[in-house]
Amino acid sequence: MKKQLFFAVFILLSLTLLFQNISADEGMYPISEIDKLDLQAKGLEISPSEIYDPEGLSLIYAIVQVGATGSFVSPEGLIITNHHVAYSSVQAASTKEKDYIKHGFLARNRFEEIPAKGRTARITESYKDVSAEVLNAVKVGMDYAQMTKAVEKKIKEIVAEAEKRNPGKRAEVAEMFRGKTYVLFLYTYLKDIRLVYVPPRSVGEFGGDVDNWMWPRHTGDFSFLRAYVAPDGTPAEYSPENIPFRPKRYLKVDPEGVNEGDFVFLLGYPGRTYRHRTSHFWAFEEEVRMPWVVDWYAWQIDVMEKIGNDDREIALKHLSRIKGLSNTLKNYRGKLKGMNRLDLVNRKRREEEALQRFIGEDTARQAKYKDILEQIGQIFEERRGQAEYELILEYLRRSVNMVNFGYTVYEAAVELQKDDLERESAYMDRNFPRTKERLLMTLKNYYEPTDRKIFREILRRASRLPEKYHIPALDRIIKKDDPERAFDGFIEKAYSSTDLHLESVLEGALKMSLPELKKMKDPFIELAEALYPTYQKLKEAQKARRGALGHLHGQLIDVKKQFLQKEFIPDANRTLRLTFGRIRGYKPADAVCYRPITTLDGVIEKTTGQEPFDTPSQLLELFKTKDYGHFSHPDLKSVPVCILYDADTTGGNSGSPVLNARGELVGVNFDRAWEATINDYAWNESYSRSIAVDIRYVLWVTQKFGNVAYLLEEMDVLNKL
């Protein structure tokens, strides 16, 4: 069946022409491009200025970034997003006695709403092209590392000046086309976000990893949050005196939902796509980086699941991490299978061969662009040689909590000695409070036996590196005569003699100078000091690589535009984008046709009584009595659960509102179909499909199952029923 599926997709993709990736998949439009689209000819019934108008109160003011995407759905700061987006905050608030992951969370009034720990929200206010200002920082004679540093410093200066001119706002500069165009975004930045209603895991995560990235789906992947501000209306940290934020615009909810063939559009903050990258990048991802990460994530998941099997309190500490790793793991496996079966790297190579022939047809082009692709290839060839060395260093800090704590503390002491604009971004005055908050959030879920096992495995993998890539600080631990015994001895001594896992100690260490840290004689701070030169050397090499690739990609974009004789939109980069399409099924294989709307009947069909298909008894009873209220589909005779559409999305679009032709909320995006896991590299209208929870299921669960009718009243839904 799977062979047929991918063969069918391969045939569909083969029908496209050279560079089809650039022309056909341009579906994530920057807000600056909206007025260039003839959306009304596509099916939009409102004016495009209703979506974005720099002089008016358009829909973009209802769109908020809360880790991924969310939307304001009431004048009282109520936000709807995905269950999986809110998941880490729910987990952070959960205990063995109050297991909000398992049982859900419900605030029956404002006083019962609790902080969504680690959660902030930002709203796009404006944008401005600052490409010339950024690129003017690059001077003749600079090497690539110096170019990268000059660009980074100029961006920091632009951001600092923008925030000075706009007190209380948050500024960011986004690279749109690599090494070529830069845009300054100004955001309202809200810091007090609270949990309002989160359905239990058996609804919000129904199907679990089994159904993840698959269609048909029957998952109630939604949650409600609320944003608060100080009594004077300014953004503020959590305080009981804070009041609900009043957005400039909020989305109207259409409880009638959508039907097959209806026009829809999405606004949101898609993560990163790589469609304008070269075959060298794609091949590196397919052959080197993604397989390594898949193996490493699978190993960690197995360890954490086994350790938490018999103790719910330990399992709760692991849940959010496992969920994140599992999501990426399955996504990467889908990408790898799709890239291999569709032969995407070789297709990209053929596109580049056509581009190279175009370059060779003109003497001036040849002089300027002849060696671009070859130079990019050389950079990736060098990167391949040291890939595992870099990955081990990256995941030594990312995966081993105690190494992360020690290194962050040490690096903070180094960076805080510098002028603010000279520091690494995480340690600048504007960012350091959040850096500390994230570190302390990680500490909440720290479990020493798990950390020991992960650290030991990283050491074992580091011990297998070729001699030229040995890491000096780890070589002191890895004794060649008996490495296994050395691992165990160091780990036992280090973990038994550190206090850095204590919140008061970690918080205190983040305030210390280097001499003060050295007096602590903490083994993980000492390890950080030993690792620091290696990380600094790697950082310099990566800056040089980024500078070189940025320069080359800027030229590549220029010549591709000449070749295609058209403009094309930049890859997604976590900035506000619009995408549109229709409610539409697809045919993944011969004689297989997927319809675009699933229903409550499918939830019942999948229910086994065992996780992850353990539908709550109350929901089963509602189905048995056909208590659908106003949310039954007239033709399907059941409550719609999920919808499928051909709009172009990627990671970060989780939580994006699915809006009908009138700009009303009809769904909340949360996933893509399995065949669309390769969307980051290539998109095709025949098989790229995205998935949302239908607004009718959201409202039905909220009213009938959650008994939270006041939220429907707040969203002005009851008056429409």
Side-chain angles (χ1 to χ4, degrees):
M1 179 66 176
K2 290 183 178 178
K3 288 183 178 180
Q4 290 177 318
L5 183 154
F6 278 97
F7 179 74
V9 174
F10 177 81
I11 294 299
L12 290 168
L13 192 63
S14 299
L15 296 175
T16 56
L17 301 174
L18 289 176
F19 283 98
Q20 61 84 30
N21 293 351
I22 295 171
S23 61
D25 62 6
E26 294 183 340
M28 300 180 203
Y29 292 89
I31 56 174
S32 58
E33 303 297 309
I34 291 175
D35 61 347
K36 300 177 183 178
L37 303 172
D38 190 359
L39 290 174
Q40 289 173 317
K42 303 286 186 181
L44 184 70
E45 295 178 13
I46 59 175
S47 167
S49 64
E50 274 287 294
I51 299 173
Y52 175 64
D53 179 0
E55 305 300 325
L57 298 181
S58 47
L59 288 176
I60 69 158
Y61 291 112
I63 312 306
V64 59
Q65 190 174 47
V66 285
T69 304
S71 312
F72 289 115
V73 287
S74 91
E76 296 295 315
L78 188 68
I79 297 170
I80 190 168
T81 187
N82 290 145
H83 182 275
H84 79 263
V85 172
Y87 193 93
S88 61
S89 296
V90 180
Q91 182 234 3
S94 295
T95 63
K96 190 174 183 180
E97 294 72 32
K98 294 183 178 180
D99 192 341
Y100 297 134
I101 292 290
K102 183 176 182 180
H103 302 297
F105 173 83
L106 168 60
R108 297 200 174 275
N109 54 58
R110 304 280 169 83
F111 299 106
E112 293 184 0
E113 295 174 4
I114 62 174
K117 296 179 181 178
R119 195 70 47 196
T120 59
R122 68 181 194 180
I123 307 155
T124 300
E125 297 287 350
S126 65
Y127 67 91
K128 176 186 176 184
D129 191 300
V130 292
S131 302
E133 195 175 347
V134 171
L135 295 174
N136 282 342
V138 177
K139 306 300 181 185
V140 176
M142 285 182 171
D143 61 31
Y144 287 128
Q146 291 171 328
M147 290 166 60
T148 299
K149 291 175 185 177
V151 166
E152 288 176 349
K153 185 175 182 182
K154 176 54 66 175
I155 287 173
K156 290 175 183 176
E157 291 171 352
I158 292 170
V159 166
E161 179 59 29
E163 292 183 346
K164 183 179 179 181
R165 291 196 311 268
N166 300 274
K169 301 297 182 184
R170 183 88 171 178
E172 287 189 15
V173 172
E175 185 180 55
M176 305 304 281
F177 281 113
R178 200 171 187 190
K180 189 169 181 64
T181 56
Y182 299 82
V183 173
L184 169 67
F185 288 87
L186 198 64
Y187 299 100
T188 291
Y189 190 66
L190 306 176
K191 306 171 188 177
D192 183 358
I193 311 299
R194 305 183 194 180
L195 300 176
V196 178
Y197 174 56
V198 180
R201 181 211 53 76
S202 51
V203 172
E205 201 184 352
F206 182 81
D209 194 51
V210 177
D211 273 5
N212 194 18
W213 302 104
M214 307 300 288
W215 184 262
R217 289 295 288 276
H218 298 85
T219 308
D221 197 346
F222 74 93
S223 291
F224 287 101
L225 312 172
R226 194 184 304 278
Y228 281 77
V229 290
D232 64 359
T234 59
E237 299 288 348
Y238 171 82
S239 169
E241 286 72 40
N242 285 352
I243 61 174
F245 173 70
R246 297 190 68 84
K248 295 178 183 179
R249 185 78 183 262
Y250 61 92
L251 299 181
K252 295 179 180 178
V253 176
D254 180 10
E256 298 301 319
V258 286
N259 290 299
E260 186 169 358
D262 284 357
F263 172 86
V264 292
F265 68 98
L266 289 77
L267 292 165
Y269 293 89
R272 295 203 173 273
T273 55
Y274 308 96
R275 297 168 186 173
H276 293 310
R277 300 292 180 91
T278 65
S279 62
H280 306 292
F281 172 85
W282 284 15
F284 179 80
E285 289 288 289
E286 181 182 5
E287 297 163 13
V288 181
R289 193 187 71 86
M290 283 199 290
W292 195 95
V293 173
V294 163
D295 176 70
W296 178 232
Y297 281 15
W299 187 91
Q300 289 181 85
I301 291 166
D302 183 62
V303 165
M304 286 186 283
E305 286 181 339
K306 286 177 179 175
I307 289 176
N309 262 346
D310 300 321
D311 191 320
R312 182 62 179 173
E313 192 169 359
I314 295 170
L316 277 170
K317 288 180 176 290
H318 292 155
L319 279 180
S320 183
R321 191 170 175 183
I322 289 174
K323 186 175 179 65
L325 295 177
S326 296
N327 189 56
T328 300
L329 177 66
K330 193 165 184 179
N331 176 285
Y332 279 14
R333 283 174 171 165
K335 282 190 175 84
L336 288 168
K337 182 169 286 189
M339 291 177 80
N340 177 262
R341 296 297 180 92
L342 298 172
D343 200 25
L344 283 186
V345 171
N346 283 327
R347 296 183 66 80
K348 176 65 77 173
R349 285 173 179 152
R350 289 194 287 274
E351 293 171 1
E352 291 168 352
E353 288 168 4
L355 177 62
Q356 198 68 51
R357 287 194 295 272
F358 172 75
I359 292 171
E361 290 168 359
D362 180 86
T363 304
R365 284 199 300 266
Q366 193 169 10
K368 190 173 183 179
Y369 303 117
K370 178 183 177 182
D371 298 328
I372 291 175
L373 289 167
E374 182 181 347
Q375 290 180 59
I376 292 173
Q378 289 170 354
I379 291 170
F380 276 96
E381 192 61 35
E382 179 184 330
R383 191 177 175 190
R384 280 174 178 265
Q386 61 187 56
E388 187 162 24
Y389 164 79
E390 292 192 24
L391 286 163
I392 284 173
L393 282 170
E394 176 185 351
Y395 284 96
L396 175 62
R397 287 184 61 186
R398 286 180 61 176
S399 301
V400 185
N401 286 334
M402 288 307 303
V403 175
N404 180 31
F405 299 156
Y407 198 89
T408 303
V409 162
Y410 183 83
E411 190 173 43
V414 173
E415 293 296 317
L416 292 174
Q417 298 177 101
K418 304 175 184 177
D419 291 338
D420 192 48
L421 291 180
E422 299 295 329
R423 299 175 196 166
E424 292 295 325
S425 179
Y427 305 102
M428 293 175 67
D429 290 343
R430 66 195 291 272
N431 298 324
F432 193 42
R434 293 297 166 191
T435 298
K436 290 189 284 188
E437 183 181 23
R438 283 193 291 270
L439 201 66
L440 294 172
M441 281 279 289
T442 302
L443 182 59
K444 296 288 186 185
N445 296 321
Y446 171 71
Y447 185 60
E448 184 177 309
T450 303
D451 210 51
R452 284 180 177 231
K453 282 183 175 290
I454 292 173
F455 191 17
R456 193 184 192 285
E457 179 63 15
I458 279 277
L459 289 173
R460 190 180 69 81
R461 294 183 183 217
S463 72
R464 301 197 309 246
L465 286 169
E467 187 74 31
K468 66 181 290 190
Y469 292 120
H470 275 203
I471 301 163
L474 300 187
D475 271 351
R476 301 174 194 176
I477 301 170
I478 304 166
K479 306 298 183 183
K480 292 183 180 179
D481 55 336
D482 193 352
E484 300 292 324
R485 185 177 177 184
F487 301 160
D488 293 334
F490 176 83
I491 287 170
E492 178 58 36
K493 183 177 179 181
Y495 281 88
S496 61
S497 58
T498 184
D499 290 324
L500 210 55
H501 59 283
L502 301 176
E503 185 172 341
S504 59
V505 175
L506 183 58
E507 281 192 284
L510 286 165
K511 301 172 184 176
M512 291 182 182
S513 65
L514 284 173
E516 289 171 327
L517 286 179
K518 289 182 180 181
K519 288 180 183 177
M520 289 180 66
K521 297 189 180 301
D522 185 278
F524 288 100
I525 295 176
E526 291 174 345
L527 176 61
E529 183 179 14
L531 284 167
Y532 188 76
T534 299
Y535 277 112
Q536 288 302 107
K537 183 179 178 181
L538 176 60
K539 190 180 294 182
E540 286 296 304
Q542 290 174 335
K543 285 182 187 291
R545 182 192 300 156
R546 283 200 302 273
L549 287 173
H551 175 72
L552 293 167
H553 275 280
Q555 292 183 306
L556 186 62
I557 290 296
D558 286 339
V559 72
K560 283 170 75 171
K561 285 181 179 179
Q562 294 176 36
F563 178 50
L564 295 170
Q565 296 185 339
K566 63 180 288 186
E567 295 289 327
F568 42 86
I569 62 174
D571 273 317
N573 61 351
R574 301 190 184 280
T575 58
L576 187 59
R577 303 291 180 104
L578 173 141
T579 181
F580 57 89
R582 292 189 178 275
I583 303 299
R584 185 180 174 200
Y586 71 115
K587 298 177 180 179
D590 181 44
V592 176
C593 181
Y594 285 145
R595 299 293 301 275
I597 302 176
T598 61
T599 69
L600 186 59
D601 293 57
V603 174
I604 306 307
E605 289 170 3
K606 285 183 176 179
T607 296
T608 63
Q610 300 296 317
E611 190 176 327
F613 298 104
D614 49 337
T615 302
S617 58
Q618 183 187 345
L619 194 145
L620 291 172
E621 184 61 28
L622 289 168
F623 172 80
K624 183 178 179 181
T625 60
K626 306 301 179 189
D627 188 0
Y628 300 157
H630 297 275
F631 305 114
S632 179
H633 190 286
D635 298 325
L636 299 174
K637 309 301 182 187
S638 186
V639 180
V641 174
C642 292
I643 51 177
L644 193 70
Y645 38 91
D646 58 7
D648 188 4
T649 72
T650 188
N653 274 123
S654 289
S656 286
V658 182
L659 304 164
N660 63 19
R662 299 180 299 280
E664 299 164 330
L665 184 68
V666 293
V668 184
N669 184 81
F670 69 87
D671 209 351
R672 282 168 279 156
W674 176 250
E675 296 77 22
T677 52
I678 58 170
N679 265 18
D680 293 353
Y681 305 103
W683 181 90
N684 185 280
E685 62 87 22
S686 296
Y687 63 80
S688 287
R689 294 291 183 274
S690 297
I691 306 170
V693 55
D694 192 295
I695 196 63
R696 289 163 287 196
Y697 193 56
V698 171
L699 298 173
W700 181 75
V701 168
T702 302
Q703 182 186 44
K704 295 289 186 176
F705 173 78
N707 294 313
V708 204
Y710 82 87
L711 290 181
L712 275 68
E713 184 175 354
E714 183 177 339
M715 291 184 285
D716 197 30
V717 169
L718 295 180
N719 293 331
K720 300 175 183 177
L721 300 179

